[in-house]
Amino acid sequence: MKTLITQRLDDAAAVIETIRDATDDIATIASILIDRMSNGGTIMVAGNGGSSTQAMHFCEELTGRYRETRPALPAICLCSDAAAMTCIANDFGWENVFKRQVEAHASFTIEDDESAICNDVLLVFSTSGNSANVNVAIECANELGLATIGLLGNDGGESADLCDYSIVVDAPDSAAIQDGHQVILHALCEIIEAWVAEEMATEIET
């Protein structure tokens, strides 16, 4: 029993250490999320199984709070509405459970030249990068003009090629990949919440 516990701890420690090499990528993704929210965009988040719980976790940190009480931030978890997911799966197939919601929630701003732009983001969690429902949603998001971001595992799978930006956690199993994703999730929360605090301080000064 102790051997299993030690192995789990060793795997988690090893994968977390590798994330040090992704600090620039984490900062880039955080900047994109902040820029999109600053311009009225919403972050949509999706994943399957354990990754769906991380999607929910990220959204609740934004709509609720991470550390400090501050204004709620716009985030929608696409895997937390059982009625929507089962309706879409029943009528359109499981591969469309996230795509249909992206289509429903995407919002557009009309520019001076009358072109429409979307400031929303689709962020996906996937340990394989090969989930059909995730990748169909990414393709849809790309077509609509959302920024697409993947927190992925193994070699990134098809999702890595579809996403505008991605971080691939190469680890021995899904549990270790999700350990890495959890650390990245919290790092993004740290940066976003620091940005909100800075914005609020600036407003007070002015």
Side-chain angles (χ1 to χ4, degrees), residues 117-192:
I117 65 166
C118 181
N119 284 309
D120 298 330
V121 178
L122 175 64
L123 170 63
V124 301
F125 289 84
S126 176
T127 59
S128 70
N130 291 316
S131 298
N133 57 1
V134 167
N135 290 333
V136 167
I138 298 171
E139 290 174 337
C140 174
N142 286 333
E143 291 172 3
L144 293 175
L146 284 75
T148 50
I149 298 170
L151 297 185
L152 312 172
N154 293 316
D155 62 358
E158 186 181 352
S159 296
D161 294 327
L162 294 173
C163 285
D164 296 323
Y165 307 90
S166 63
I167 297 175
V168 179
V169 175
D170 186 8
D173 59 19
S174 294
I177 292 168
Q178 288 168 346
D179 289 336
H181 287 172
Q182 191 73 7
V183 172
I184 295 169
L185 180 164
H186 282 152
L188 292 173
C189 291
E190 296 275 3
I191 298 168
I192 291 169

Side-chain angles (χ1 to χ4, degrees), residues 32-92:
I32 293 164
L33 297 176
I34 289 168
D35 177 69
R36 292 296 178 116
M37 286 190 289
S38 296
N39 286 286
T42 296
I43 302 171
M44 304 181 208
V45 194
N48 291 296
S51 294
S52 74
T53 66
Q54 292 186 309
M56 286 188 279
H57 185 167
F58 187 59
C59 288
E60 57 86 3
E61 298 283 28
L62 298 183
T63 58
R65 72 174 184 180
Y66 177 59
R67 293 189 190 280
E68 305 297 332
T69 299
R70 37 76 181 161
L73 297 172
I76 298 173
C77 183
L78 304 184
C79 41
S80 59
D81 186 338
M85 291 183 69
T86 53
C87 169
I88 295 167
N90 186 60
D91 294 345
F92 300 96

